[in-house]
Amino acid sequence: MALPKSMRLLAAVTLCIFFYMVLQIYKAPAAIERPSSGKIKEWTRDPQLDPSGEPPEPLRRVEGDNYEPNNPNSARINATLLALVRNEELEDMLQSMRDLERTWNHKFNYPWTFFNDKEFTEEFKKRTRAVTKAEIRYEIVPKEHWEIPSWINMDLFQESVAVLTEQDVQYMSKISYHQMCRWNSGLFFKHPALANTRYYWRVEPKVHFFCDVDYDVFRWMQDHNKTYGFNINIYDSPQSVTTLWPETRKFIADHAHYLSPNNAIEWLQDKEQRPGHNAKANGYSTCHFWSNFEIGDMEFWRSRAYQEYFDHLDRAGGFFYERWGDAPVHSIALGLFADKSKIHWFRDIGYQHIPFFNCPNNPKCSGCVTGRFTDGEAWLNQEDCRPLWFKYASKD
Ligand code: GDP
Ligand code: MN
């Protein structure tokens, strides 16, 4: 028996309302979608704006004469401040030395080791000796560590220079820059002058240090079992490292056993924050520890894993055919082969290498603006990739 007309109408309307509501429920997520990738910020406020102090105890301090320069039983460990530098950069090197001596090394008196591909001048030696009580060594880089390797085809190099200069790769045509990056990547720690040295602090000419540091930084690395300390984390120009990640993947395919069980491969492969960089660098985020500042344990670079990785990269030729920097090479190796909990952010060491800063909120600092990342153009703030490191690793 058919329903009355009014009942049929009511049923039809109810059905329509039901379908309409189901439709709304399924449509709902679209309205609360996250902003498109690339615009997601991992933080809205730089953590350096928050007050911070020293890293955790134990911290070794000056007591009596325990760090005096000539004390044969000093508390210093096997470590050195280290700089590759040219004679022409003397004034800029003195600037860096004065800052680091004032804020830290006049207390701890760690030796300086200067490296150069040429003989240091007497003036360089005299004037650098005048700004520290600590011992200084002046070393020449062995020819076989500096020369362009025999397997590099110079015609191909020149062609690559033309192509990548066109793509705005900085320093592409400067052969010595390629040699410097290669040496810093895989050879510095093989220098005979460092044979008995385990920890190093890399210092470049023309950098600034802003904060008093009152503990033995090298001893801290050792006591806390740290492999590497960084200060600034930035994106690289992807055109300079196009095949670095693909070559790395080839290496990993044959050497998976070298990967650390607690690695930071997600940090290396992030494509959320700057998808364009990841795409151009063929899977590498390009985020790296800025290696003009490094405090490290050379055992890591001297490990079999790293040596084999460096040899693989060296044979592939990208130190010349592209412009692989020591910063991405070191960072990728650390991200893969090191335990990420052994990598430390030295937030307390106020620092500047043009155009970036690390400036903590700490009464021990002066001469920099708290929390400021750059004093260059505003777009440079985008180059800060610390949010990625903090997301995939930690702020420790
Ligand atoms: P940037 O920081 O990437 O612009 O590169 P720099 O010009 O500062 O070079 C990095 C480091 O390597 C600095 O400590 C330089 O003094 C050093 N360096 C670069 N090229 C040479 C070179 O040909 N000879 C020597 N002795 N040192 C170099
Ligand atoms: Mn520099």
Side-chain angles (χ1 to χ4, degrees):
M1 192 182 80
L3 285 169
K5 197 175 174 190
S6 59
M7 289 292 277
R8 271 186 280 156
L9 197 67
L10 191 66
V13 169
T14 310
L15 215 63
C16 281
I17 291 172
F18 174 73
F19 282 121
Y20 175 73
M21 291 191 65
V22 167
L23 196 73
Q24 289 308 305
I25 289 166
Y26 278 96
K27 264 178 69 183
I32 52 164
E33 225 172 48
R34 299 175 70 187
S36 66
S37 61
K39 293 198 181 93
I40 305 163
K41 275 265 163 269
E42 298 299 338
W43 69 36
T44 49
R45 182 183 156 82
D46 191 319
Q48 282 297 48
L49 291 169
D50 301 327
S52 61
E54 296 179 319
E57 298 273 353
L59 298 161
R60 307 285 170 142
R61 302 188 191 275
V62 175
E63 281 163 18
D65 66 352
N66 64 344
Y67 282 98
E68 280 300 296
N70 299 316
N71 182 347
N73 304 311
S74 89
R76 280 182 289 277
I77 61 170
N78 272 339
T80 190
L81 301 167
L82 171 163
L84 173 74
V85 59
R86 292 169 282 221
N87 286 306
E88 309 85 83
E89 293 171 303
L90 173 60
E91 296 300 335
D92 290 340
M93 195 67 234
L94 290 171
Q95 142 63 40
S96 303
M97 283 184 83
R98 285 192 195 107
D99 268 22
L100 190 48
E101 288 286 331
R102 185 189 73 250
T103 52
W104 186 70
N105 201 43
H106 80 275
K107 294 164 251 186
F108 297 96
N109 296 297
Y110 273 94
W112 286 86
T113 310
F114 290 113
F115 293 102
N116 194 345
D117 56 310
K118 302 196 173 65
E119 190 85 52
F120 280 109
T121 61
E122 282 311 309
E123 190 196 1
F124 189 98
K125 294 182 188 171
K126 192 174 126 211
R127 296 195 53 206
T128 46
R129 279 196 188 112
V131 294
T132 180
K133 296 178 272 140
E135 179 200 343
I136 309 190
R137 293 173 239 162
Y138 302 90
E139 305 290 343
I140 296 192
V141 174
K143 247 197 171 66
E144 64 275 20
H145 285 179
W146 195 258
E147 275 171 354
I148 301 172
S150 58
W151 58 88
I152 296 299
N153 175 330
M154 291 313 281
D155 293 333
L156 188 52
F157 170 67
Q158 290 305 342
E159 282 172 34
S160 313
V161 167
V163 172
L164 292 187
T165 303
E166 187 75 8
Q167 293 180 31
D168 292 330
V169 172
Q170 223 188 350
Y171 306 122
M172 185 63 201
S173 63
K174 212 170 163 191
I175 292 187
S176 64
Y177 197 88
H178 293 263
Q179 292 170 297
M180 177 274 287
C181 290
R182 175 174 177 264
W183 185 79
N184 275 321
S185 294
L187 298 158
F188 78 94
F189 50 87
K190 289 186 175 171
H191 195 288
L194 298 176
N196 298 313
T197 307
R198 181 158 169 192
Y199 294 91
Y200 70 101
W201 180 337
R202 176 169 158 190
V203 184
E204 279 201 5
K206 213 180 179 173
V207 301
H208 286 88
F209 294 94
F210 303 108
C211 311
D212 285 329
V213 176
D214 296 312
Y215 59 93
D216 180 343
V217 169
F218 291 123
R219 188 64 197 251
W220 190 88
M221 295 283 289
Q222 189 179 61
D223 288 345
H224 295 263
N225 197 15
K226 297 291 178 188
T227 298
Y228 188 82
F230 72 97
N231 189 291
I232 289 167
N233 211 205
I234 55 167
Y235 291 101
D236 210 344
S237 107
Q239 311 90 287
S240 68
V241 289
T242 323
T243 65
L244 177 56
W245 189 249
E247 278 305 331
T248 301
R249 289 187 56 128
K250 278 190 221 163
F251 180 79
I252 304 173
D254 296 335
H255 302 88
H257 54 286
Y258 285 147
L259 291 178
S260 163
N262 191 30
N263 65 54
I265 197 165
E266 287 176 294
W267 168 66
L268 296 170
Q269 293 190 291
D270 180 274
K271 52 178 175 220
E272 288 281 304
Q273 197 76 9
R274 285 188 101 167
H277 272 47
N278 183 298
K280 283 189 213 153
N282 294 303
Y284 171 35
S285 68
T286 78
C287 186
H288 60 273
F289 306 122
W290 212 25
S291 60
N292 47 66
F293 174 107
E294 295 193 306
I295 298 178
D297 177 353
M298 286 186 277
E299 302 251 296
F300 179 78
W301 309 123
R302 290 168 178 154
S303 68
R304 226 178 126 165
Y306 186 71
Q307 301 265 324
E308 288 182 19
Y309 176 60
F310 173 75
D311 288 345
H312 175 93
L313 296 183
D314 202 20
R315 285 275 162 192
F319 289 107
F320 294 91
Y321 305 138
E322 292 178 17
R323 215 233 48 225
W324 295 349
D326 50 285
V329 170
H330 280 185
S331 302
I332 290 177
L334 287 157
L336 296 175
F337 313 133
D339 177 333
K340 67 184 174 190
S341 72
K342 295 187 178 187
I343 299 174
H344 173 67
W345 178 38
F346 275 107
R347 68 184 298 167
D348 56 324
I349 302 184
Y351 178 70
Q352 177 202 21
H353 176 297
I354 293 171
F356 299 119
F357 288 80
N358 175 56
C359 188
N361 180 349
N362 184 331
K364 289 187 178 191
C365 305
S366 63
C368 61
V369 179
T370 305
R372 178 187 270 183
F373 182 68
T374 181
D375 60 354
E377 294 182 42
W379 65 267
L380 286 170
N381 281 300
Q382 287 175 43
E383 303 304 309
D384 185 0
C385 66
R386 283 174 303 155
L388 283 191
W389 178 255
F390 299 154
K391 175 180 171 185
Y392 294 116
S394 81
K395 288 199 186 73
D396 294 336

